[in-house]
């Protein structure tokens, strides 16, 4: 479970987030939408612990990001808008390296990598060099990295950035399958693609969150 209570964030005098409160239970997939510049990426970075809020609290499974950052990050899977993958490495080698960096036990790394590859439909590409993959496949590699330690909550910022419609379907199916046992927040602009697997939508506007019912509601809110 991810719990966010009354968080605010500002760059100097410019307030980006204001009194944001949100609860995402296990099994939920929340689609975060908003206009360009609305602060979606900033919110995702605050939720991931990369930025600390000016005020308020962020907890994952009861672990406070400010007070217990190591336990918090152990529960987190984070797919940033521009994931820093290594193009010269082979897929499986990259995931093994990342699992080690994340602190996984050596005896479990091979199993974790195999699980992540299977979850993202990459089993047959484990020996492929990342830089030779398509944009969609590279995005799946980045998602596999986020899933390595079976996180209790997953953040995917601009999930479909730079990928074609076919890759969007694969990414969506992977998220839908994984979300059965975790809390997920996914941001993006592709409302129909998000609507295929999101259980609810939230709109970020003027630094605050508002619930919207479905894809049609999200589209109307963005147009207003």
């Amino acid at each position: 479970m991810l719990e966010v209570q009354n968080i605010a964030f500002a760059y100097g005098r410019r307030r980006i987030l204001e009194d944001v409160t949100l609860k995402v239970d296990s099994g939920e997939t929340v689609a975060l939408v908003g206009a360009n510049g609305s602060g979606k990426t900033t919110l995702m970075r605050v939720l991931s612990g990369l930025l600390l809020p000016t005020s308020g609290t962020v907890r994952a499974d009861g672990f406070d990001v400010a007070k217990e950052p190591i336990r918090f990050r152990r529960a987190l899977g984070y797919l940033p808008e521009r994931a820093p993958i290594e193009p010269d490495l082979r897929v499986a080698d990259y995931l093994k390296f990342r699992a080690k960096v994340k602190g996984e036990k050596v005896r479990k790394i091979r199993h974790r990598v195999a699980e992540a590859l299977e979850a993202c439909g990459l089993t047959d590409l484990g020996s492929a060099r990342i830089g030779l993959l398509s944009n969609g496949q590279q995005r799946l590699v980045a998602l596999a990295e986020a899933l390595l330690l079976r996180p209790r909550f997953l953040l995917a910022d601009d999930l479909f950035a730079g990928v074609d419609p076919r890759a969007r379907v694969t990414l969506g199916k992977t998220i839908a399958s994984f979300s059965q046992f975790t809390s997920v927040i996914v941001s993006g602009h592709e409302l129909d693609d998000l609507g295929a697997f999101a259980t609810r939508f939230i709109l970020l506007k003027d630094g605050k969150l508002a619930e919207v019912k479905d894809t049609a509601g999200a589209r109307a809110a963005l147009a207003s």
Side-chain angles (χ1 to χ4, degrees), residues 101-142:
V101 169
K102 288 171 178 277
E104 184 56 279
K105 296 178 181 177
V106 174
R107 60 184 175 83
K108 291 185 177 182
I109 288 178
R110 180 173 295 182
H111 180 63
R112 291 283 191 247
V113 170
E115 276 189 333
L117 288 172
E118 182 178 3
C120 295
L122 295 170
T123 301
D124 293 338
L125 294 175
S127 60
R129 201 173 299 278
I130 294 174
L132 299 179
L133 301 178
S134 68
N135 288 339
Q137 290 169 331
Q138 290 188 23
R139 197 67 173 149
L140 283 165
V141 172

Side-chain angles (χ1 to χ4, degrees), residues 48-104:
S48 71
L50 290 178
L51 297 174
L52 290 179
T54 307
S55 60
T57 58
V58 180
R59 294 187 179 91
D61 281 359
F63 300 129
D64 189 305
V65 65
K67 298 178 180 178
E68 299 175 280
I70 294 177
R71 290 186 173 182
F72 178 92
R73 290 189 176 92
R74 178 75 184 190
L76 165 71
Y78 178 48
L79 174 62
E81 181 180 3
R82 295 180 179 84
I85 56 178
E86 296 291 339
D88 293 331
L89 292 181
R90 300 186 187 278
V91 174
D93 291 339
Y94 169 69
L95 294 177
K96 290 174 185 176
F97 166 71
R98 290 300 301 161
K100 184 176 181 180
V101 169
K102 288 171 178 277
E104 184 56 279

Side-chain angles (χ1 to χ4, degrees), residues 157-174:
D157 189 14
D158 206 354
L159 176 64
F160 304 121
V163 304
D164 59 37
R166 184 176 179 179
R168 293 176 193 173
V169 173
T170 304
L171 284 162
K173 288 181 177 179
T174 302

Side-chain angles (χ1 to χ4, degrees), residues 190-196 198 201 212-222:
E190 302 81 359
L191 299 184
D192 290 332
D193 293 308
L194 291 170
F201 280 81
V212 286
K213 292 183 178 180
D214 50 25
T215 303
R219 186 171 285 110
L222 286 170

